[in-house]
Amino acid sequence: MRHFLTLKEFSKEEILEIINLAIKIKAETKQGELKPYLKNKTLGMIFEKSSTRTRVSFEVGIYQLGGVGLFLSNKDIQLGRGEPVSDTARVISRMVDMVMIRTFSQSMIEEFAKYSKVPVINGLTDEFHPIQLLADYMTMIEHKKDKNPIVAYVGDGNNMTHSWAILASKLGFELRVATPNGYEIDSELLKNLDLSNIKISNNPKEAVANADVVTTDTWISMGQEDEKEKRIKDFEGFIVDNSLMNLAKKDAIFLHCLPAYRGKEVSEEIIEGAKSVVFDEAENRLHAQKGLMVWLDSKRNN
Ligand code: CP
Ligand code: NVA
């Protein structure tokens, strides 16, 4: 049995297997074929933070695969009133076939996985957002037809950045990360990875020069609302706008995991412009996670 917790625990071959499965299931879905790969299976979905895309894509995804999803908000389940994670994991995993969790600390998910009898999927933590990267990579290869593009990430060194770094390390494409001073990625979270193809700086222009893919994320992640004013000041000069995007290759694409804050990390003209593929990227959350769930289930049966 396998869990999907950080992407670090996956090989390049396994990541590509999941992506290829997602591409196949997407094609089938587009032809109107909803094959019941997970007939009568149940997915528990624990949410301790808000979500639009993750919730809808998992719930619709499991349904399209022939199963059913249970939305479990921590406002409604006993976990939110202090029931131990270890008990919650042992109870829920005796009843469902897979669990997805969106929470604050990575250690909560790791603990849940330790006690779970079924695969656990990280649906975002403060440290990582690995499922988003499956959709992002899928979108990148659909639009770029190039499996080795240069990717520039401009903005906060956050959960998205860590997951980009892990994906780049696994797949070998060049990743350039430009964050403001004091907002760099946490290298502790990336220890033991080969980071030789990852360039870290505080210079957005240098990062974006000649890139194939430009991406960013909110400057204020969930849980950081109190730092909003300070962050907006500290991130001055890190907006992805026309003048920055023009430094990338002419046919570069713009990715953003969404939700996006126009006028902060990205300008209106970029997110609504011809280079933006953010809604294809959002749709690919559905397809990528269907691939992931079918893959995890197949490992469970082996
Ligand atoms: N990108 C993403 O995970 O979106 P949600 O927060 O809406 O799930
Ligand atoms: N970095 C953001 C991603 C939202 C999908 C956050 O954690 O809020």
Side-chain angles (χ1 to χ4, degrees), residues 50-55 102 123-124 129 132 222 257-259 285:
S50 305
S51 169
T52 298
R53 281 142 288 269
T54 305
R55 177 179 176 180
R102 168 168 285 198
L124 181 145
H129 195 5
Q132 180 70 49
M222 289 179 275
C257 66
L258 305 180
R285 292 291 305 276

Side-chain angles (χ1 to χ4, degrees), residues 49 53-54 102 124-126 129 132 153 156 158-160 217-218 220-225 257-259 285:
K49 285 178 174 173
R53 281 142 288 269
T54 305
R102 168 168 285 198
L124 181 145
T125 59
D126 291 344
H129 195 5
Q132 180 70 49
Y153 176 97
D156 188 20
N158 63 13
N159 44 11
M160 277 300 297
D217 184 20
T218 180
I220 302 124
S221 284
M222 289 179 275
Q224 298 173 333
E225 290 76 8
C257 66
L258 305 180
R285 292 291 305 276

Side-chain angles (χ1 to χ4, degrees), residues 52-87:
T52 298
R53 281 142 288 269
T54 305
R55 177 179 176 180
V56 176
S57 55
F58 270 112
E59 200 161 328
V60 172
I62 186 75
Y63 173 74
Q64 290 185 350
L65 293 168
V68 68
L70 302 176
F71 175 66
L72 305 168
S73 155
N74 71 326
K75 291 190 193 79
D76 304 320
I77 61 174
Q78 299 288 7
L79 182 70
R81 298 181 62 248
E83 184 167 16
V85 171
S86 55
D87 289 359

Side-chain angles (χ1 to χ4, degrees), residues 26 30 57 135 278-288:
K26 177 175 181 177
K30 294 283 176 192
S57 55
V278 300
F279 298 107
D280 290 348
E281 178 187 5
E283 181 190 326
N284 276 337
R285 292 291 305 276
L286 170 68
H287 307 298

Side-chain angles (χ1 to χ4, degrees), residues 153-211:
Y153 176 97
V154 176
D156 188 20
N158 63 13
N159 44 11
M160 277 300 297
T161 333
H162 297 134
S163 291
W164 268 111
I166 295 168
L167 187 79
S169 161
K170 295 282 171 179
L171 300 188
F173 60 82
E174 182 175 334
L175 174 68
R176 303 168 186 166
V177 176
T179 66
N181 247 318
Y183 294 93
E184 287 85 2
I185 55 176
D186 179 353
S187 49
E188 261 303 288
L189 296 176
L190 305 175
K191 63 173 190 257
N192 302 329
L193 290 173
D194 175 5
L195 303 178
S196 51
N197 51 326
I198 300 170
K199 297 189 168 75
I200 310 278
S201 78
N202 302 116
N203 188 332
K205 288 184 182 153
E206 210 175 276
V208 169
N210 216 29

Side-chain angles (χ1 to χ4, degrees), residues 32-146:
E33 258 187 285
L34 292 179
K35 293 193 185 165
Y37 292 102
L38 299 182
K39 189 165 190 308
N40 295 335
K41 303 258 167 140
T42 44
L43 172 73
M45 307 187 302
I46 299 176
F47 281 91
E48 299 201 283
K49 285 178 174 173
S50 305
S51 169
T52 298
R53 281 142 288 269
T54 305
R55 177 179 176 180
V56 176
S57 55
F58 270 112
E59 200 161 328
V60 172
I62 186 75
Y63 173 74
Q64 290 185 350
L65 293 168
V68 68
L70 302 176
F71 175 66
L72 305 168
S73 155
N74 71 326
K75 291 190 193 79
D76 304 320
I77 61 174
Q78 299 288 7
L79 182 70
R81 298 181 62 248
E83 184 167 16
V85 171
S86 55
D87 289 359
T88 308
R90 281 176 286 184
V91 171
I92 292 180
S93 71
R94 282 178 181 232
M95 299 181 192
V96 304
D97 299 288
M98 218 172 272
V99 178
M100 189 242 67
I101 304 174
R102 168 168 285 198
T103 189
F104 292 87
S105 75
Q106 181 68 21
S107 59
M108 182 275 189
I109 291 205
E110 307 273 348
E111 189 181 359
F112 194 107
K114 185 171 145 199
Y115 287 96
S116 174
K117 288 161 77 91
V118 300
V120 175
I121 299 171
N122 181 347
L124 181 145
T125 59
D126 291 344
E127 290 91 337
F128 304 109
H129 195 5
I131 43 165
Q132 180 70 49
L133 269 293
L134 295 180
D136 290 7
Y137 188 64
M138 199 171 155
T139 311
M140 224 157 85
I141 58 179
E142 283 173 354
H143 282 274
K144 299 302 302 176
K145 316 279 179 225
D146 174 358

